[in-house]
Amino acid sequence: MRYLIISDIHSNLAAFEAVLADAGPFDKVWCLGDVVGYGPDPNECVERLRDLPHICVVGNHDWAALGKMDTEDFNPDAKRACLWTREQLSPSNLEYLETLPKSLVEEDFTLVHGSPRQPIWEYILNPAIAQANFEHFDTRFCFVGHTHVPVIYRDHPNQAGETMIPSYGSPLALGEDRLIINPGSVGQPRDGDPRASYAILDSDRERSDLTLEYRRIPYPIETTQARMVESGLPVRLIMRLAYGW
Ligand code: ZN
């Protein structure tokens, strides 16, 4: 099986379409949440995802759009975008987001948005936080999103976990170690590179032979920005897409 691993689409349809066009054939999408929030096309992104064979876990922005949590913890721009998103979403798409679980287990992989310890909220920002999370899932690997930064953490019991910065375009053998893997963000990268980030998991191999390929691709950022201007979304959110921050 070839899986398309995506996270944090954030209502950015132009970025999502670019990823789908670049990915080549795949059997299924594994989506790590935050399908909506920030961007201009919440309904279109949910519907595009729903039309694909996929599984998806819920993210904090999906929850916020459902009104399941207080937006007081959001910064003012995120809050404004969240309230706008809530107004836009069709009843059917809200219902779909409502069905999303906080975590899923597929083959050797646990899927969550934030962290296995706190699926909705925790940011795995460094090796120490990653290391503390390895005891909170039972599978060999865990996919996370939420930070919008592509990275892999390797389990090193009794010491700080090791960080691996992915290289793009060449498949990486996942090997025998336990890993926490973040594919980066489709719709709002925050590592200084504005291109959409995603990964392809190829499990058509022996168990010890799984490969993951990170990819980074440009998309028409100005299309998304123009749609955001039309919708009156906050200027800071429009600008940041160009900087990948
Ligand atoms: Zn996000």
Side-chain angles (χ1 to χ4, degrees):
M1 297 278 271
R2 246 171 89 85
Y3 298 103
L4 173 59
I5 315 295
I6 54 174
S7 191
D8 297 278
I9 298 166
H10 281 297
S11 302
N12 188 338
L13 184 66
F16 191 15
E17 289 292 3
V19 164
L20 292 172
D22 184 72
F26 55 81
D27 298 293
K28 204 168 186 179
V29 178
W30 288 0
C31 177
L32 306 170
D34 278 5
V35 182
V36 302
Y38 294 128
D41 300 304
N43 283 306
E44 292 81 354
C45 287
V46 173
E47 282 154 20
R48 192 72 175 92
L49 181 64
R50 290 175 72 178
D51 283 343
L52 298 166
H54 79 286
I55 53 172
C56 185
V57 292
V58 74
N60 54 318
H61 282 261
D62 306 316
W63 253 32
L66 290 167
K68 282 193 167 188
M69 47 171 257
D70 203 347
T71 50
E72 290 314 310
D73 290 338
F74 281 26
N75 67 55
D77 289 337
K79 183 179 171 182
R80 216 172 107 203
C82 171
L83 297 176
W84 179 86
T85 300
R86 197 181 297 175
E87 283 165 20
Q88 305 299 312
L89 281 166
S90 70
S92 157
N93 288 334
L94 283 167
E95 213 171 283
Y96 165 80
L97 292 176
E98 191 78 51
T99 65
L100 299 178
K102 287 187 201 168
S103 70
L104 285 166
V105 172
E106 291 284 313
E107 303 183 14
D108 256 347
F109 296 82
T110 298
L111 281 62
V112 291
H113 180 64
S115 78
R117 182 164 61 178
Q118 286 179 34
I120 305 284
W121 273 112
E122 186 176 31
Y123 291 89
I124 300 186
L125 290 166
N126 58 51
I129 300 173
Q131 196 56 46
N133 266 283
F134 276 105
E135 64 184 62
H136 292 271
F137 63 101
D138 298 323
T139 53
R140 193 145 62 104
F141 307 110
C142 180
F143 277 120
V144 301
H146 199 34
T147 64
H148 301 204
V149 175
V151 65
I152 298 177
Y153 296 103
R154 192 193 301 275
D155 186 15
H156 276 297
N158 307 320
Q159 45 178 302
E162 177 191 347
T163 308
M164 294 150 68
I165 305 300
S167 62
Y168 300 106
S170 58
L172 169 84
L174 290 183
E176 293 294 336
D177 294 330
R178 297 185 79 216
L179 304 172
I180 294 175
I181 303 165
N182 191 324
S185 167
V186 170
Q188 197 200 75
R190 288 183 193 159
D191 59 346
D193 180 343
R195 295 175 300 164
S197 184
Y198 73 101
I200 299 276
L201 171 69
D202 186 347
S203 71
D204 261 350
R205 296 154 187 267
E206 292 298 306
R207 187 189 147 101
S208 58
D209 227 14
L210 291 165
T211 62
L212 185 78
E213 182 180 334
Y214 273 89
R215 292 197 188 161
R216 213 63 197 254
I217 51 149
Y219 72 94
I221 293 172
E222 58 297 340
T223 302
T224 300
Q225 290 178 317
R227 296 267 300 132
M228 292 174 81
V229 171
E230 276 168 34
S231 302
L233 285 161
V235 173
R236 202 179 67 95
L237 296 182
I238 297 171
M239 299 301 291
R240 72 186 298 178
L241 292 177
Y243 302 113
W245 170 79

